[in-house]
Amino acid sequence: MTIQDFIPPPYTKMIENASVSYQSPSNIALVKYWGKHGEQLPQNASISFTLSNCKSETTLDFKKKTKGGYDFKVYLDGHREKEFEPKIEKFFNRVAPYLPFINEYRFVIKTQNTFPHSSGIASSASGMSALAMCLVGLESQLNDPKNERLQNKQYQLQKASFLARLGSGSAARSINGPLVVWGAHPKIKGSSDLFGTTYPYKVHDNFTNYHDTILLVDKAEKQVSSTVGHDLMHNNPYAKQRFEKANSNLEQLISIFETGDLDSFIALVESEALQLHAMMMASSPYFILMKPNTLKIIDSIWGFRKATNSKVCFTLDAGANVHVLYPSSEKQQVQQFIKNELSIFCKDGSYIDDFTGTGASTI
Ligand code: DP6
């Protein structure tokens, strides 16, 4: 597939006004995307677990208008969110060549998240992927109903992931599940820089319904956005080694997924999280997104693992929150440990239990 495959032929149908609704989850990367080039293209391949409970639910109302600039309004939880509109405008600019209808409709985007707005959980992956699904849902109604390629579900999901990437790179990995690769990798068939693809090889039962409890350490807005962080990789002296390491880690995961080797999984996933934050510390200007309680949690997880031989581990995204990952067979003991020993490090004791899911769907 190339970029050209996402430019549609002239639409054959006309719709005056209608509405579409989709939900799309967040995802947590095991091998991280950190560094990009061109138009939202990743410097290395990444892989993530798609989540189930943390999701955005978006309705797109649209009404035909005469041509001209974009016309849209964004509502979060029923309230107009002018703050989001520059980001959506940038997104519309990027997707316009692939969605020629975009300046022919007046849009109202109504969205809500199942996780609290102030949780510090990035809503860009779930939000952008839900919006991309809505736009593809609308386009499928404008396209020739007899055109098999355009009406093919697989093609539409690929296009949604392609568009979601243009909104936020990690959003490309939220359309499918439970394991999604984004970024061309020589050892992963079908992988592409343009969109996410479901991991195509054998995955051991140990990874079925893998759990992720998100510990909310800091609910405040981050001091450095992901977009700025990615940009700082251009001058990071360790960038080249980091991109190579991420790709080799992804290759190593292939046999780990096949055999179900949880010890190797833990070592790789925790190392990825720490390398991500090491890149932030090695950037110029440097920055640290972890908080003291992030380290206290990591230390407790290591202590618990040593004492009990549990297969619990952690990963981090670009923030202070900790994602606690564990196989479903350990659900009871790890959730007890979180409640008794980790929740004290969370803001207001709050955390969110989640597990792997299958991606976006209509509501
Ligand atoms: C640390 O996808 O949020 O979560 O493309 O600029 O929107 P933009 O960045 P974003 O970066 C996510 C970075 C990460 C790692 C990951 O999810 O792979």
Side-chain angles (χ1 to χ4, degrees), residues 29 32-34 36 40 168-170 173 226-227 230 276 317-318:
K32 310 290 181 181
Y33 146 61
W34 196 245
K36 55 179 158 180
Q40 290 287 99
S168 182
S170 55
R173 297 187 311 239
S226 288
T227 304
H230 283 289
L276 167 71
D317 55 17

Side-chain angles (χ1 to χ4, degrees), residues 63-105:
K63 196 171 187 258
K64 194 93 175 118
K65 68 171 182 74
T66 47
K67 276 197 182 174
Y70 311 128
D71 186 339
F72 65 89
K73 290 192 177 80
V74 183
Y75 292 83
L76 176 67
D77 298 329
H79 302 289
R80 178 97 185 259
E81 269 295 341
K82 287 202 171 168
E83 235 180 76
F84 286 4
E85 294 181 0
K87 192 157 187 189
I88 302 291
E89 169 124 21
K90 195 165 164 193
F91 173 64
F92 274 23
N93 269 320
R94 284 187 183 153
V95 299
Y98 313 103
L99 299 172
F101 65 80
I102 204 137
N103 57 10
E104 291 177 22
Y105 283 95

Side-chain angles (χ1 to χ4, degrees), residues 27-34 36 40 46-48 87 94 122 124-125 128 165-173 182 222 225-228 230 276-277 280 316-319:
N27 67 72
I28 180 67
L30 305 170
V31 170
K32 310 290 181 181
Y33 146 61
W34 196 245
K36 55 179 158 180
Q40 290 287 99
S46 58
I47 187 165
S48 51
K87 192 157 187 189
R94 284 187 183 153
S124 65
M128 283 298 176
R165 169 184 62 87
L166 294 170
S168 182
S170 55
R173 297 187 311 239
W182 170 46
K222 295 180 282 198
S225 72
S226 288
T227 304
V228 170
H230 283 289
L276 167 71
H277 284 259
M280 300 174 192
L316 306 167
D317 55 17

